[in-house]
Amino acid sequence: MIEALLLLAGLVAVFTTLSIVWILVTEALPFFRRVPLGDFLTDTMWTPLFAEPRYGILPLLAGTLVTTAVALTVAIPAGTIIAIHLSEFASRRLREVVKPALEMLGAVPTVVYGYFALAIVTPFLQKLIPGLPGFNMLSAGLVIGIMIVPYVASVSEDAMRAVPTHMREGSYAMGATRLQTALRVVVPGALSGMAAAYILGISRAVGETMVVAVAAGLQPNLTWDPTESAATITSFIVQVTLGDLPHDSIGYQSIFAAGLVLLIVTLAFNVAGFLLARRFREAY
Amino acid sequence: MLTSAVKARVSGLGFWYGNVRALHGLDMEIRDRKVTALIGPSGCGKSTFLRCFNRMHDLTPHTRYEGSIRLYPDDIDLVAKAVDPIEVRMRIGMVFQKPNPFPKSIFENVAYGLRVRGARSRALIEEQVEKALRDAALWDEVKDRLHGPGLSLSGGQQQRLCIARALATDPEMLLFDEPTSALDPIATARIEELITALRERVTVLIVTHNMQQAARVSDFTAFMYLGELVEFDATSKLFTNPGRKATEDYITGRYG
């Protein structure tokens, strides 16, 4: 009886995942019946709501990848440095204060981060970069980066702390400094866990919606320049669901195609991360 | 045998973990290029004593040394505050209870100490690595897979890798902290052979809970109990004709 209940509880997660995939695929099918897959993947315009609609996913995909890349250039170095400090240098008291504070940063609603980007980061960046538009991917990406630092730092730190003490002792006994031990022994030993942390960060950045919807602008724009304004896959989906498109229109169906792409991108990163983690797994 | 020079002189050595006193005024001499064994029941302070020699205790907060360990011929006090623990560890190598190779290749494990010391020359590093692996009797087993992971070796090979790692930087003294307690009898025998051979070139201090091991590999033995040095003598004398009742009780297995 208990076992059956537990099994049921476990299956909820599997069932939910399968349902999401099922809905995305079945709802995207009518879209692909009207839009050839080739056009979808190669067309450089995404204007499903215009009188002469074009359905090229590339502009949205570019927006997602650019904001994600900007976010990672902040989150990976900052998260890794914070993790190394907390795990290898900080006193226990400092760690006990900083780690909960860091985790609290991860609990701030993302819409707040969106306004932080729009109201504080963008005006600041405009002073540094003259002519920067009010909506831009740079500001949104930077703030997403700040937002995912706690995830990257916290998971990386756990991975580093899991490296056994006797391995550190071996390094100290060779005359290594704290920094040498951290960089040459602890980090290599924690690499698989750190890869998992980075993948978690990437998935969060790819899927982040509110910050880009608020701060990056909503015009699909095929560009790799982060100082421009552009829509991402997620911000497009929000825009359409908030509008009043009829549910059987192709514009409405297009969000499922976009959602499917989003799912595939995150899945690809997760698989890559899994393979990477396995490649670097160390058994102590 | 007793004529060898003094490599280190321990005088009035005490050690504190916070308010707990772990070592009480130890005095002894470590002879150059001899093997000195530290024996005694669990918790007697033998590992604590060993770890004073390379200042490993400095990594634990709230610890304190008293007295001195003077290393010769330079006559520096290993436990003096003014002496940098990193400099001490550069000169005195250590092999631990559990083999602890780094998550790196076999080659990089042995090269670690050289790289930490800033060695750049590839040729020099390769030469030292090969020499250290030969000295640790591991070369023939690993020469075809130097770039394979150190953690893929068997337990005994891992421990010899750790010995090679410690030897690569030409230490003056090697500390062994129960180096065979995690190994099977065959691997243990090989490590013991190795320790005996190392005596030619380096001063060895070994902690062991295995009295037969102490009798087999060491020239001198110190028996410790409750943080004090009970008896210190030539191994052959201490095991056949101990001077103290407590030593006799321990080596005849009456306690410990």
Side-chain angles (χ1 to χ4, degrees):
Chain A
M1 181 60 199
I2 302 268
E3 279 102 349
L5 271 175
L6 291 175
L7 181 68
L8 204 70
L11 285 180
V12 168
V14 179
F15 179 73
T16 311
T17 311
L18 289 179
S19 319
I20 290 172
V21 175
W22 171 252
I23 288 174
L24 283 176
V25 171
T26 51
E27 294 283 333
L29 273 179
F31 173 84
F32 285 114
R33 245 176 248 130
R34 290 162 68 175
V35 179
L37 190 62
D39 287 3
F40 181 70
L41 292 178
T42 57
D43 197 339
T44 56
M45 298 281 276
W46 178 264
T47 53
L49 312 180
F50 285 17
E52 274 177 48
R54 304 265 299 266
Y55 301 100
I57 193 70
L58 284 177
L60 296 183
L61 195 59
T64 293
L65 293 180
V66 169
T67 49
T68 301
V70 173
L72 293 180
T73 54
V74 175
I76 288 185
T80 307
I81 291 169
I82 291 172
I84 290 176
H85 181 79
L86 284 182
S87 158
E88 305 301 313
F89 293 89
S91 67
R92 217 175 75 196
R93 270 183 50 203
L94 181 68
R95 184 164 50 229
E96 274 164 11
V97 174
V98 171
K99 214 173 170 196
L102 207 58
E103 273 155 14
M104 212 142 69
L105 213 57
V108 175
T110 58
V111 66
V112 175
Y113 280 106
Y115 281 98
F116 176 62
L118 191 64
I120 294 170
V121 178
T122 299
F124 175 73
L125 288 174
Q126 277 170 329
K127 281 185 198 142
L128 300 177
I129 309 169
L132 187 73
F135 295 109
N136 64 80
M137 294 189 283
L138 183 62
S139 169
L142 289 177
V143 171
I144 296 173
I146 295 169
M147 195 180 90
I148 60 179
V149 160
Y151 293 90
V152 176
S154 184
V155 179
S156 303
E157 198 241 9
D158 289 342
M160 286 181 206
R161 302 249 285 157
V163 172
T165 314
H166 64 82
M167 212 172 260
R168 288 186 185 82
E169 285 192 327
S171 171
Y172 289 128
M174 291 306 300
T177 61
R178 252 174 212 278
L179 188 64
Q180 286 169 330
T181 302
L183 296 182
R184 297 172 186 221
V185 172
V186 179
V187 168
L191 219 53
S192 75
M194 288 168 67
Y198 296 163
I199 295 302
L200 184 70
I202 292 174
S203 299
R204 300 264 323 172
V206 167
E208 173 47 36
T209 308
M210 280 322 287
V211 176
V212 281
V214 171
L218 292 166
Q219 283 78 42
N221 180 6
L222 180 54
T223 174
W224 302 102
D225 178 1
T227 60
E228 286 188 42
S229 135
T232 65
I233 299 176
T234 50
S235 66
F236 170 73
I237 294 174
V238 171
Q239 189 189 11
V240 170
T241 45
L242 293 180
D244 47 8
L245 284 177
H247 280 199
D248 54 356
S249 70
I250 184 156
Y252 189 78
Q253 285 158 353
S254 72
I255 67 173
F256 291 96
L260 197 60
V261 171
L262 194 63
L263 186 77
I264 290 168
V265 171
T266 20
L267 189 70
F269 278 122
N270 275 287
V271 170
F274 174 76
L275 294 177
L276 213 70
R278 206 176 53 179
R279 161 79 179 72
F280 291 111
R281 172 140 301 142
E282 300 294 347
Y284 325 112
Chain B
M1 186 201 259
L2 291 163
T3 55
S4 140
V6 172
K7 182 67 198 170
R9 178 172 288 123
V10 180
S11 328
L13 184 74
F15 181 75
W16 298 76
Y17 286 109
N19 294 321
V20 180
R21 187 168 192 178
L23 296 177
H24 301 261
L26 307 185
D27 295 291
M28 68 185 273
E29 284 175 352
I30 312 287
R31 298 276 164 177
D32 191 26
R33 276 172 254 186
K34 297 288 176 198
V35 177
T36 303
L38 303 173
I39 62 168
S42 300
C44 70
K46 54 192 191 296
S47 284
T48 304
F49 180 33
L50 187 80
R51 284 166 172 250
C52 292
F53 282 85
N54 67 343
R55 297 277 290 274
M56 285 304 272
H57 297 302
D58 288 41
L59 300 168
T60 318
H62 313 300
T63 54
R64 190 157 57 84
Y65 305 89
E66 274 172 6
S68 65
I69 302 177
R70 305 205 76 91
L71 187 73
Y72 298 101
D74 311 35
D75 195 20
I76 57 162
D77 180 5
L78 296 177
V79 297
K81 267 218 172 66
V83 174
D84 182 0
I86 289 182
E87 197 206 323
V88 171
R89 295 180 200 134
M90 293 264 175
R91 301 173 62 163
I92 298 181
M94 184 165 187
V95 176
F96 295 79
Q97 185 168 357
K98 192 167 182 271
N100 57 355
F102 302 137
K104 296 175 179 293
S105 69
I106 292 168
F107 184 90
E108 283 304 324
N109 260 282
V110 183
Y112 189 77
L114 300 166
R115 295 208 192 279
V116 161
R117 285 158 179 75
R120 284 280 154 72
S121 152
R122 240 187 108 106
L124 180 106
I125 292 175
E126 279 175 6
E127 187 190 314
Q128 286 283 94
V129 167
E130 177 174 343
K131 186 167 165 294
L133 283 168
R134 283 187 191 282
D135 288 345
L138 191 60
W139 175 254
D140 290 333
E141 289 156 68
V142 302
K143 63 176 182 233
D144 299 321
R145 48 170 172 152
L146 286 174
H147 298 286
L151 286 157
S152 68
L153 299 174
S154 74
Q157 288 174 324
Q158 287 190 11
Q159 196 61 305
R160 276 180 280 142
L161 181 64
C162 294
I163 295 175
R165 181 174 76 192
L167 286 174
T169 53
D170 275 323
E172 295 168 48
M173 193 189 251
L174 260 188
L175 312 173
F176 287 86
D177 190 0
E178 300 193 17
T180 61
S181 63
L183 303 181
D184 64 64
I186 294 169
T188 298
R190 299 204 61 171
I191 302 283
E192 288 185 6
E193 261 171 54
L194 191 54
I195 292 171
T196 313
L198 283 174
R199 170 166 41 193
E200 304 288 313
R201 45 179 290 209
V202 60
T203 307
V204 172
L205 199 55
I206 176 172
V207 164
T208 175
H209 60 234
N210 177 334
M211 279 175 284
Q212 286 75 30
Q213 182 168 72
R216 281 192 298 263
V217 303
S218 71
D219 304 297
F220 296 91
T221 300
F223 171 62
M224 291 178 66
Y225 186 60
L226 296 177
E228 294 187 46
L229 181 67
V230 176
E231 187 167 355
F232 173 56
D233 214 328
T235 301
S236 51
K237 166 114 190 338
L238 190 124
F239 277 95
T240 52
N241 187 16
R244 302 280 295 265
K245 181 79 170 60
T247 315
E248 190 181 340
D249 286 349
Y250 183 69
I251 61 178
T252 53
R254 233 162 282 168
Y255 68 75

